[in-house]
Amino acid sequence: MYKTKAYSATSATSKLASATIPRREPTDHDVQIEILFCGVCHSDLHQVRNEWKEVMPTIYPCVPGHEIVGRVTRVGRGVTKFKAGDLAAVGCMVDSDHTCPNCKEGLEQFCPNVTLTYNFPDKHETAPVTYGGYSDSIVVNERFVLRVPSNLSLAGAAPLLCAGITTYSPLRHWGVTKGKKVGVVGLGGLGHMGVKFAHALGAHVVVFTTSPGKTEDALRLGADEVVVSRDAAAMQEHASTFDFILDCVSANHDINAYVNLLARDGNLTLVGAPEKPLALSAFGLIMARRSLSGSPIGGIPETQEMLDFCGKHNITADVEIIPIQKVNEAYDRLLKSDVKYRFSIDMASLKSE
Ligand SMILES: [Zn+2]
Ligand SMILES: [Zn+2]
C-alpha cells in the first residue's frame, strides 16, 4: 500500500477537502496512473451528498471522480497493453469478474460483479470502498484502462469517459448514421456530447431545449436545427419524423411530447434519470411501433472505440478547467447548470495541498 493525495467528503453535508488515501501497490495486471485531469460528473455530486442512499448509500470518506485521464507511472509484470509514460484513461468501472457472459461480450457495464470507480466495495481491501479520480494517482486492472489518442486535449478528453460514452453508446446501438434524423433533448454535459457525436456520425441533428438562449451554442456544437420545446407549433412541425431521440434530461418532463416526434419504429433512449417515474402514454408507442429504452455508459471495447472515434474527428468535451480548490464552488454552479459544459479539474493543483 502507498498513500496519495485526494479530495474527499467525510459526510453528506461536509465540503470536499484535502485528504490522504491509501492505494494498493500494482499487482501483476495493474496499471498505476498519475491523474492529470478529472471531469466533474453530476453523479459525483449525488454520491458525495448521499442523494442515492436508497440504491447506493455513500460510505465516507468519499472520493468521487470517474472521468480520469493521466499518464502511466508503473505497470505490473503481466501488463502488455501499457508501459510507463503512456497516456491512459479510466471511466466509471475499475474491475469486474471477467468471466460472465456480459464480460465475455465486452459489455462489462452489465456485469453482476462490476466494481465501480468509487463508493463501491474494494475487492482488494485497500480501503472499505473504491476511491475515484479526485486524487493524485489510481491503480486499475489493465482491462479497465483505456488508450487516449495523443491529438486530444487532455482536459477536454476527461469527460469522454462518462458523458462521452454514455451518449456515444446508444447512438451506435440504435444505428445512427448518415441520413438519419436524430433529436437530442437537453443541452448540458451529456447533451452537448450527444450533439457532437450525432453530427460526426453524419446525422441530421435537432436540439430540443427550454432555453432559446442556447440556440447559437447548439448550432456551433453541430446541430442543424434547434427547437424550443415550449413552442408547441415548432414541436408539431417535427411530428413522426425522428429515427432516434436521445433524452439527456434528468429533471421531470413530458416524455410523450418526444415519443410523438418519433417516426415508425423510432426509438427514444433515456440517459438522464429523472427522480420521479415518467408518465407514458402507451398509445404513443403502440400506434407507430415506437420504442422507449435506457442506456448506461458502455463496455470497455466500445469505450475504446469512442476514444478512437474522438481522436479521428478531434472531438472533446467543452470544458471549464478548475483547480481542485474550486470544486465545492463548481458543485454549487453545477446545480444551477452554470457550466459550459463540463468542469475538468486540473490535478496539478492538488500537489500544493
Ligand atoms: Zn458520470
Ligand atoms: Zn462479468
Side-chain angles (χ1 to χ4, degrees), residues 296-309:
I297 53 173
I300 293 299
E302 192 175 53
T303 305
Q304 189 62 60
E305 177 193 304
M306 179 272 307
L307 286 168
D308 295 343
F309 181 87

Side-chain angles (χ1 to χ4, degrees), residues 217-228:
D217 233 20
L219 297 172
R220 176 185 62 81
L221 293 166
D224 297 287
E225 298 179 58
V226 179
V227 174
V228 176

Side-chain angles (χ1 to χ4, degrees), residues 174-330:
W174 292 97
V176 169
T177 52
K178 202 169 164 54
K180 301 277 179 167
K181 185 172 174 182
V182 171
V184 176
V185 187
L187 197 64
L190 290 172
H192 98 288
M193 288 311 309
V195 172
K196 290 187 184 203
F197 286 136
H199 174 74
L201 288 164
H204 180 87
V205 185
V206 182
V207 166
F208 295 93
T209 176
T210 51
S211 338
K214 286 191 174 170
T215 301
E216 205 175 303
D217 233 20
L219 297 172
R220 176 185 62 81
L221 293 166
D224 297 287
E225 298 179 58
V226 179
V227 174
V228 176
S229 53
R230 298 189 210 283
D231 182 344
M235 293 287 280
Q236 186 54 35
E237 272 175 40
H238 290 273
S240 304
T241 59
F242 282 88
D243 296 293
F244 179 74
I245 297 176
L246 187 69
D247 187 335
C248 305
V249 177
S250 51
N252 297 317
H253 60 293
D254 177 20
I255 193 80
N256 302 295
Y258 297 101
V259 168
N260 291 330
L261 301 187
L262 293 170
R264 192 201 72 212
D265 293 319
N267 172 271
L268 185 151
T269 291
L270 302 170
V271 290
E275 202 185 319
K276 295 199 181 109
L278 295 163
L280 175 71
S281 156
F283 282 107
L285 294 179
I286 292 168
M287 301 315 283
R289 204 166 53 192
R290 295 156 171 153
S291 63
L292 174 67
S293 54
S295 182
I297 53 173
I300 293 299
E302 192 175 53
T303 305
Q304 189 62 60
E305 177 193 304
M306 179 272 307
L307 286 168
D308 295 343
F309 181 87
C310 288
K312 195 172 154 207
H313 295 271
N314 208 18
I315 294 173
T316 51
D318 285 24
V319 292
E320 179 178 334
I321 299 173
I322 56 164
I324 189 82
Q325 292 79 7
K326 293 251 185 199
V327 73
N328 294 300
E329 198 180 300

